[in-house]
Amino acid sequence: MIEVSKKCIGCAKCVPVCPFAAINMIDKKATMNEACTLCGACVQVCPVQAITITREEASTRDLSGYKGVWVYVELSEAGDKTHPKKIKQVTFELLSEGRKLADRLGEELCAVLMTDKDHNYEKELGAYGADKVYLVEHDELFEYNTDIFSTVMVSLVTRHKPSVILYGATIQGRDLAPRVASTLYVGLTADCTALSIKDGLLLQSRPAFGGNIMADILAPNSRPQMATVRPNVMKMGEPVHGRAALTVRESAKLDKSLRRVKVLERKIDHGSGAVKIENANVIVSGGRGMKTREKFHQLEELSKLLGGVVGASRAAVDLGFKEKTHQVGQSGTTVSPKLYLSFGISGAVQHIVGMKASDVIVAVNKDPNAPIFNVAKYGIVGDAHEIVPKLIEALKKGK
Ligand code: FAD
Ligand code: SF4
Ligand code: SF4
């Protein structure tokens, strides 16, 4: 239920932001009509907090009409006419996982795409498993913005009632999902590492208590059930080219006054063209066992010879051996390279959760009982300070 209190000063700021033309000014007071979807956009702009939305108690809601698994489609930040924005890999990972969930539920898998310009993205989304693409095309969707994107998402949810929504645990997903959750008054499980279906509900698993236990979370009383998943956690399936998704175009009436944060300047850090750790095929990682910054730097040389990127345990980052952006693990980045080399890392559970999806793990540690050996395909019990220079020498000789 939506109500406008006596505090309303008749400024009419709420009128243009309503995506559903649900507000009329009557006797200098905002009045909502039956087109209101309770999206919350007007609440955000009212300067005197005159609008309140009261949502039904979760336990009294009829949840039977909620059907389908949705995946939020994340596009890269920048694009132009010649280089359109690309769908980020995490979307394909989520579609691959979402496909399995939808099949278990016997429901549709839908992708939710918000963009200023559609570049035939539906083709790729279909290839990765989407049955349907909800496409919202509008000039105001030219870049990610919390207010604009959450308003569109909430209105789509209100209209179509999905049962499950998955978002990437990226900067965008971590911003959007909580906003949608709080507007709809539903739960959200962040950073899930496994998803499955149990008794028709989404079973959301994630590490808890510093990674020492895995928590299984169910949301039986609210819909949609929402989760974020980090990039590289779910395996991306093989695309089936030519598999088509049905495109459902959704209209949105978006007013720029809804945008409370304006980007004044955009500086894109192209770096030195270096590959980001989350996209690297080879990672050479070091831990506290590397002992000093200078010795840690030998890993840079090794990774260059292998065409890889350097990673680090949290202990190594805390000691200043490497920047935080290279930290692998629960409070760092989740990676899944083809080859993960680890030197002087013990293998604490918080590190393992961030790299165990690597194709081949090779670990070097002095301690034969180090837990890193439990996930390593090849383990070398030895001194990293002897082994690293030997590897560098061998690679230089082209062995
Ligand atoms: P240590 O555990 O001290 O291990 C050093 C290893 O080096 C030992 O196994 C030792 O045998 C070996 N070694 C010593 N000398 C040599 C040598 N000369 N040659 C070969 N081996 C040698 N950690 C992360 O990595 N990433 C995270 O994202 C992360 N998030 C966390 C989040 C929370 C909430 C908490 C509580 C902890 C987190 N941690 C994280 C910290 C984690 O628990 C460990 O403390 C950390 O991973 C240990 O780093 P390490 O293996 O480099 O150091
Ligand atoms: Fe319009 Fe949304 Fe406000 Fe309802 S809650 S009046 S749909 S802006
Ligand atoms: Fe009234 Fe607030 Fe709407 Fe202004 S924005 S007309 S004060 S409800």
Side-chain angles (χ1 to χ4, degrees), residues 2 17-20 22-23 32 35-43 53:
I2 186 159
V17 302
C18 175
F20 306 98
I23 310 176
M32 280 59 173
C36 172
T37 63
L38 303 185
C39 76
C42 56
V43 179
I53 292 179

Side-chain angles (χ1 to χ4, degrees), residues 88-100:
K88 287 197 180 165
Q89 184 180 306
V90 67
T91 304
F92 301 131
E93 293 167 5
L94 293 180
L95 283 172
S96 306
E97 186 65 19
R99 184 67 267 163
K100 292 182 219 158

Side-chain angles (χ1 to χ4, degrees), residues 3-5 7-15 17 23-25 28-32 42-43 45-51:
E3 281 175 307
V4 180
S5 74
K7 286 198 270 179
C8 174
I9 52 171
C11 69
K13 281 190 177 159
C14 53
V15 177
V17 302
I23 310 176
N24 306 104
M25 294 305 295
K28 291 191 181 156
K29 190 183 171 199
T31 310
M32 280 59 173
C42 56
V43 179
V45 297
C46 177
V48 292
Q49 285 85 45
I51 309 170

